Amino acid sequence: MKGPHRPPRLPVPLRWLLLLLLPLGLVVVMWQASQVAREQALQTLVREAENELRLSAAGLEGHLTRHDYLPQLLASREMVQRFLLNRGQQDPMPLNLLLDQFRATANVSDVYLLDAEANTLAASNWHRPNTFIGQNYAFRSYYQDAIQGGRGRFYGLGVQSLERGYYFSAPVWLDDTAPDARPSGVMVIKILLDAVEESWAEQDAVLLVTDKDDIIFMASHPELRMAALHPLSEEERQGLLATRRYADEPLSPSGIDVYDQRPDGSRLVRFDHGPLAEERYLGLARHMDAFGWNMHILKPLGTVYQAQWLAAALAGGLYGVVVLAGGIGWQRQRLRRERELFAERERQTLASARDELERNVELRTHDLLETNRRLSDEIEERRRAEENLRQTRDELIQAAKLAVLGQLAAGINHELNQPLAAIRAYAENARAFLERQRLEAADANLAQVVELTERMAEISAQLRQFSRKSDSSLTAVSVQACFGYALRLYQNRLRDVEVVRCWDDEVWVHADLVRLEQVLVNLIGNALQAMAESPAPKLILTIEAERAQVRISVTDTGPGIPEPHLSRIFEPFFTTKSPGSGLGLGLSISARIIKDLGGSIAATNHPGAGARFIITLPQEERPDGTQISPTEEQRSHA
């Protein structure tokens, strides 16, 4: 019996090459891991910044707009109108005290009354050295807007106090019945912005608010306030100083330098000078349509650098473990090969072949049994998955309805806030009338309160009706009633939209009321989003009964659907909206619902208009009087 043969060893040049490649691989692995960690950390930071920016913008907008009603309310006060009517014959002190009382109650900075020539007649700060009384504010845009009969808004530095503030104004009418009637005065309130900035200081980020001229009007860091986002030319600087919006502030450049623009819209920035120059930041911006401002957030990149170092260290350690394990495995492989060579020389050829054949037969039999078992398990798993899919589809339809409710939340909130503010004003007036024994006037105010509460109940009932689940039963459904319900849900957003209804008699289809309503709500909501930038938005709703089919179409005057997207518009998760605006499930779910109802849905571009979605459903005969129509059902929910 011959002695064992040792496996061949690596040549010397190959060993030197391996020693060179190992540290080079370590460097490459650590660098690649740090880059991956950096990108993931930046994406996480972008999501955090988007959430903080959205909440901060909503907080600022809510802080400012909650006092929007106050000038109009004060302008309708009897004392204010009587003072303007008999100006020069009455003592202004009672009106000063009233304005100061409203200032303290509403928690605003100042309240003051201007006459038709913009001279201040009464103010809540009559007792202060820098009182507004006697000052003329004809150069302010809030006076110019209000004296024309509108409601004004303005932001800037106060002429007397030099404090940054936001102003609301409303005209005071003594006679608004004449064709050439003109306001007799202007009521103005001023809101300070320091409280909002103090709340920003608690965040681990730098928050900025810039106007259309890129002037940093608000900032969580005081050194950035009243600075230009980018350097201004001398002509631009003189033009801004001439408006007196920022008084005599120098409007120096903030020193922000954008050194990297990322594909997701975020930016990496740094400061050339100032106390923030030692840090680098990730920046995001959000436009505030209600004010024409842009809110910026700058998140420090310290967590990104920490993630890079940690990932590089972990990758280096893992690389060392892998190299060590590879070396041990290679050594064990050499030992195993030595044992195999030794055993092969000792094993007889025939016995080896017989044993190998028996092992192969046993292994193949075992594999076949195992494969059959796995196949049976997969069949059962597929059956359960199909059942879960059907269940998930119904839940996804309900979730899509709740997503539409989320989109309507802002409008519904506005619809409820207006009646609440009006109820408070009418209730205060009613109490005053009761004290003066003017019972008819008090009763009229209370009647207005009842009417406003009924309006709020109707809004709540519409939301409650839309959020209910379908019972999946197909009955006779009125298409006109479904359209009417969907339009009521969007009544706040339809104020500036022309709605064209193209139908004659009431048409009924064989469908499910709740699911058909959801589809129409989705299509109308998409149409309103598409017409957001349209100068003359028009929504065209059409119902055509032809033979045993009913064609229902929703047409808008938006930009339409690009031709390459028409074939994919009903695919799940396909969307042309910006990130964060939708998941691309609305049209896919709508198509599935219409298919389950036995109909079809198609999308085209309407000549001379925008997108057009056409639903085809089986026509149904009008139900007899014993059945509840969809219109009656909707009234029962209300």
Side-chain angles (χ1 to χ4, degrees):
M1 188 170 55
K2 298 180 180 180
H5 295 282
R6 296 182 64 83
R9 303 183 67 180
L10 292 176
V12 175
L14 190 56
R15 293 182 188 178
W16 283 107
L17 180 61
L18 186 61
L19 291 176
L20 179 63
L21 292 177
L22 286 176
L24 181 60
L26 176 62
V27 173
V28 172
V29 167
M30 293 180 66
W31 178 83
Q32 188 65 33
S34 68
Q35 294 302 307
V36 173
R38 177 179 184 272
E39 186 60 29
Q40 292 178 348
L42 283 175
Q43 293 176 2
T44 302
L45 197 62
V46 167
R47 289 193 293 269
E48 293 178 359
E50 287 176 344
N51 291 334
E52 293 182 19
L53 185 60
R54 182 174 61 254
L55 293 176
S56 299
L60 175 59
E61 184 172 350
H63 176 76
L64 294 178
T65 57
R66 64 180 179 177
H67 301 295
D68 190 16
Y69 71 94
L70 188 56
Q72 187 69 30
L73 178 64
L74 290 174
S76 64
R77 297 283 296 189
E78 182 180 355
M79 179 182 290
V80 175
Q81 296 179 354
R82 186 170 60 248
F83 181 81
L84 281 177
L85 183 62
N86 302 310
R87 181 160 54 106
Q89 301 176 9
Q90 290 189 357
D91 182 11
M93 188 52 63
L95 182 57
N96 290 334
L97 294 174
L98 176 65
L99 297 182
D100 190 36
Q101 179 183 359
F102 270 94
R103 177 202 61 78
T105 303
N107 193 23
V108 299
S109 174
D110 298 291
V111 183
Y112 50 103
L113 173 65
L114 309 179
D115 63 9
E117 288 74 31
N119 297 311
T120 307
L121 302 179
S124 60
N125 62 353
W126 87 95
H127 55 287
R128 296 183 182 176
N130 59 348
T131 180
F132 298 160
I133 295 178
Q135 300 294 326
N136 187 279
Y137 295 103
F139 61 91
R140 289 298 199 194
S141 63
Y142 62 74
Y143 163 76
Q144 298 166 7
D145 293 339
I147 204 65
Q148 297 298 325
R151 300 175 68 177
R153 289 185 177 187
F154 177 80
Y155 67 95
L157 294 180
V159 176
Q160 298 296 317
S161 63
L162 296 181
E163 293 179 327
R164 293 169 302 124
Y166 198 84
Y167 300 79
F168 293 96
S169 65
V172 181
W173 296 91
L174 297 182
D175 179 14
D176 58 353
T177 59
D180 57 347
R182 189 171 183 267
S184 300
V186 174
M187 183 64 66
V188 186
I189 69 167
K190 177 182 178 182
I191 305 171
L192 295 183
L193 307 174
D194 297 335
V196 179
E197 291 176 332
E198 290 175 0
S199 66
W200 292 350
E202 301 174 358
Q203 297 182 224
D204 183 21
V206 179
L207 287 170
L208 313 172
V209 176
T210 60
D211 61 7
K212 61 182 180 59
D213 298 313
D214 285 339
I215 303 300
I216 301 176
F217 185 67
M218 299 177 63
S220 56
H221 286 255
E223 59 272 6
L224 295 176
R225 296 168 190 166
M226 307 313 298
L229 191 64
H230 307 294
L232 300 175
S233 65
E234 186 60 28
E235 182 180 355
E236 292 174 333
R237 188 187 310 277
Q238 294 303 323
L240 289 174
L241 293 177
T243 64
R244 303 182 64 184
R245 182 186 294 274
Y246 305 111
D248 297 326
E249 292 290 335
L251 304 179
S252 304
S254 62
I256 295 180
D257 176 32
V258 180
Y259 66 89
D260 188 13
Q261 185 76 39
R262 290 173 48 79
D264 58 4
S266 60
R267 301 172 296 173
L268 302 183
V269 302
R270 59 194 170 196
F271 287 84
D272 294 335
H273 57 271
L276 302 179
E278 299 179 357
E279 188 86 44
R280 297 194 176 191
Y281 302 88
L282 179 137
L284 283 177
R286 182 184 182 90
H287 186 66
M288 301 178 67
D289 296 328
F291 307 99
W293 296 345
N294 288 316
M295 175 169 276
H296 307 260
I297 187 171
L298 304 179
K299 295 284 288 184
L301 294 179
T303 56
V304 177
Y305 298 144
Q306 293 176 3
Q308 283 186 269
W309 283 109
L310 180 60
L314 291 177
L318 182 60
Y319 181 85
V321 171
V322 171
V323 171
L324 181 61
I328 294 175
W330 180 73
Q331 187 65 23
R332 293 187 62 182
Q333 178 70 12
R334 290 184 71 250
L335 294 175
R336 187 181 65 80
R337 289 180 61 191
E338 289 180 355
R339 290 196 297 269
E340 288 178 353
L341 290 174
F342 181 79
E344 185 65 26
R345 287 193 302 270
E346 302 296 328
R347 189 180 299 119
Q348 296 182 0
T349 304
L350 183 59
S352 176
R354 185 186 63 241
D355 293 342
E356 186 70 20
L357 180 61
E358 291 176 354
R359 285 195 299 270
N360 288 339
V361 171
E362 182 181 0
L363 181 62
R364 298 291 175 84
T365 303
H366 179 269
D367 289 342
L368 183 59
L369 293 175
E370 186 66 17
T371 301
N372 289 336
R373 184 188 64 79
R374 285 199 304 269
L375 183 60
S376 299
D377 292 344
E378 289 177 358
I379 293 173
E380 180 63 19
E381 184 66 22
R382 182 179 180 87
R383 186 190 63 78
R384 289 196 299 267
E386 290 178 349
E387 181 65 24
N388 290 337
L389 181 61
R390 286 191 294 270
Q391 212 169 26
T392 303
R393 183 196 62 192
D394 295 336
E395 294 175 355
L396 188 59
I397 292 174
Q398 184 68 12
K401 294 172 66 176
L402 297 180
V404 174
L405 285 178
Q407 296 175 3
L408 296 173
I412 297 302
N413 181 49
H414 179 72
E415 287 292 323
L416 293 178
N417 279 340
Q418 284 186 336
L420 284 175
I423 285 173
R424 178 179 176 181
Y426 282 126
E428 290 178 353
N429 290 340
R431 290 181 61 185
F433 287 140
L434 289 174
E435 291 176 358
R436 302 174 185 177
Q437 298 299 317
R438 296 176 60 180
L439 300 182
E440 293 183 358
D443 181 73
N445 275 265
L446 293 176
Q448 292 293 332
V449 172
V450 172
E451 181 180 349
L452 289 171
T453 55
E454 291 176 351
R455 175 184 171 190
M456 295 170 66
E458 181 181 354
I459 294 172
S460 176
Q462 292 175 7
L463 289 177
R464 190 164 57 249
Q465 177 187 356
F466 182 72
S467 60
R468 72 191 190 278
K469 285 191 175 181
S470 169
D471 57 5
S472 300
S473 61
L474 302 184
T475 59
V477 176
S478 170
V479 182
Q480 285 87 342
C482 292
F483 264 135
Y485 169 73
L487 292 175
R488 283 195 298 274
L489 276 182
Y490 287 107
Q491 60 183 350
N492 184 47
R493 295 172 58 185
L494 288 169
R495 291 176 178 173
D496 299 327
V497 178
E498 180 184 358
V499 180
V500 179
R501 299 171 175 85
C502 300
W503 61 70
D504 296 321
D505 298 330
E506 191 167 12
V507 179
W508 300 74
V509 294
H510 187 66
D512 174 62
L513 172 65
V514 177
R515 289 191 285 175
L516 182 55
E517 286 176 348
Q518 179 184 351
V519 172
L520 296 181
V521 167
N522 286 342
L523 296 182
I524 293 176
N526 289 344
L528 293 178
Q529 289 182 356
M531 296 188 295
E533 301 298 331
S534 178
K538 179 187 292 186
L539 182 65
I540 304 173
L541 310 177
T542 306
I543 304 175
E544 300 174 346
E546 184 176 331
R547 299 178 182 174
Q549 300 290 324
V550 176
R551 288 163 53 91
I552 308 167
S553 65
V554 177
T555 307
D556 61 66
T557 57
I561 306 172
E563 291 296 332
H565 296 167
L566 282 175
S567 59
R568 303 184 56 197
I569 197 69
F570 296 106
E571 293 181 7
F573 302 104
F574 177 79
T575 179
T576 58
K577 301 177 182 177
S578 59
S581 300
L583 297 176
L585 290 176
L587 290 178
S588 174
I589 293 175
S590 298
R592 182 71 185 193
I593 291 175
I594 296 302
K595 183 178 179 181
D596 291 344
L597 297 179
S600 62
I601 183 171
T604 62
N605 285 319
H606 188 62
R612 183 181 188 186
F613 289 84
I614 303 172
I615 301 172
T616 303
L617 288 173
Q619 187 174 8
E620 182 73 321
E621 295 294 331
R622 178 186 297 271
D624 55 32
T626 60
Q627 293 176 303
I628 299 176
S629 69
T631 307
E632 294 172 343
E633 181 181 355
Q634 291 170 1
R635 287 198 295 267
S636 68
H637 283 286

